[in-house]
């Protein structure tokens, strides 16, 4: 239940006899006929504290999906956002490190950035694309993102073009403020 990185490590520790199942946050399990739900696992605020994914343990692929941040400030009625309403971001440098790792390791054709809203922090998105250009990533792999119309401007659009984004997907859920508020879009930013 919730983010699994720390929980998974603790489940491995349980399998090795290093901890008790009841002490692991963020799990639900059965003890005989009793269903036990442990305390919730807190979201990982510092996303840079997580290690780089072990891409070398997986088969090579033509397309990869990476996450540079978790969370979205909106509360849309139709969304199953399980990452919370606060965007918790990895640093631009860590994002570029992962791009470089994947390019060197697997030579993928495509990397999809699966953030709910890649440009929720517009200066950070701009910085990531600047680093992509500096590191020639934009000439080595196709990439795309999804974002929201409230978090894009002319300068970012030009930067997407310079960084050779293959796709910029935007949800357009309504055309008026009343409709957007009814969908839960009116309460962000």
């Amino acid at each position: 239940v919730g983010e699994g990185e720390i929980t998974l490590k603790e489940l491995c520790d349980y399998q090795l006899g290093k901890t008790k199942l009841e002490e692991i946050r963020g799990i639900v399990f059965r003890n005989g006929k009793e269903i036990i739900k442990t305390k919730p696992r807190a979201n990982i605020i510092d996303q840079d504290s997580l290690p780089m994914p072990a891409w070398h343990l997986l088969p090579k692929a033509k397309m990869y999906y990476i996450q540079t941040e978790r969370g979205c400030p909106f509360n849309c009625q139709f969304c199953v956002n399980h990452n919370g309403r606060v965007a918790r971001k990895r640093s631009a440098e860590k994002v570029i490190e992962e791009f470089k790792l994947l390019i060197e390791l697997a030579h993928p054709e495509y990397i999809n950035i699966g953030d709910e809203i890649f440009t929720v922090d517009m200066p950070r998105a701009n910085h990531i694309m600047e680093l992509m250009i500096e590191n020639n990533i934009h000439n080595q792999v196709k990439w795309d993102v999804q974002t929201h119309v409230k978090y894009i401007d002319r300068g970012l659009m030009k930067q997407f073009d310079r960084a050779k984004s293959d796709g910029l997907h935007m949800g357009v859920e309504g055309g008026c403020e009343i409709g957007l508020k009814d969908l839960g879009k009116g309460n962000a930013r």
Side-chain angles (χ1 to χ4, degrees), residues 34-103:
E34 182 183 11
I35 295 178
I36 298 172
K37 181 177 182 183
T38 63
K39 293 179 181 178
R41 170 72 61 192
N43 284 341
I44 300 167
I45 302 302
D46 179 9
Q47 293 291 294
D48 281 350
S49 70
L50 296 170
M52 191 65 60
W55 290 114
H56 65 285
L57 297 177
L58 300 172
K60 290 183 181 180
K62 291 184 179 185
M63 180 180 162
Y64 287 85
Y65 175 93
I66 68 170
Q67 195 100 23
T68 78
E69 65 188 23
R70 297 175 183 177
C72 173
F74 294 109
N75 192 26
C76 303
Q77 303 299 315
F78 53 83
C79 186
V80 294
N81 174 14
H82 58 281
N83 287 316
R85 297 200 52 210
V86 174
R88 296 167 289 117
K89 302 161 278 221
R90 292 168 57 205
S91 67
E93 292 75 17
K94 285 282 190 184
V95 172
I96 296 304
E97 182 183 337
E98 187 169 8
F99 263 88
K100 289 164 79 174
L101 173 73
L102 281 170
I103 290 168

Side-chain angles (χ1 to χ4, degrees), residues 82-157:
H82 58 281
N83 287 316
R85 297 200 52 210
V86 174
R88 296 167 289 117
K89 302 161 278 221
R90 292 168 57 205
S91 67
E93 292 75 17
K94 285 282 190 184
V95 172
I96 296 304
E97 182 183 337
E98 187 169 8
F99 263 88
K100 289 164 79 174
L101 173 73
L102 281 170
I103 290 168
E104 182 180 320
L105 178 74
H107 310 288
E109 294 176 16
Y110 212 94
I111 296 177
N112 173 268
I113 296 177
D115 304 354
E116 287 92 347
I117 301 178
F118 175 70
T119 59
V120 71
D121 180 338
M122 293 165 67
R124 174 185 168 270
N126 188 66
H127 185 52
I128 288 171
M129 290 185 281
E130 198 61 50
L131 290 174
M132 289 174 111
I133 294 165
E134 281 179 27
N135 287 276
N136 200 34
I137 290 168
H138 66 311
N139 287 321
Q140 298 178 60
V141 67
K142 292 180 181 179
W143 64 280
D144 71 350
V145 300
Q146 59 186 16
T147 191
H148 187 275
V149 294
K150 279 191 172 187
Y151 295 101
I152 196 84
D153 62 17
R154 190 175 302 274
L156 269 179
M157 291 299 289

Side-chain angles (χ1 to χ4, degrees), residues 10-25:
E10 291 176 0
L11 283 169
C12 292
D13 287 344
Y14 165 74
Q15 288 294 320
L16 296 171
K18 295 180 181 179
T19 189
K20 295 178 182 173
L21 206 52
E22 303 81 27
E23 295 173 356
I24 301 172
R25 290 178 175 252

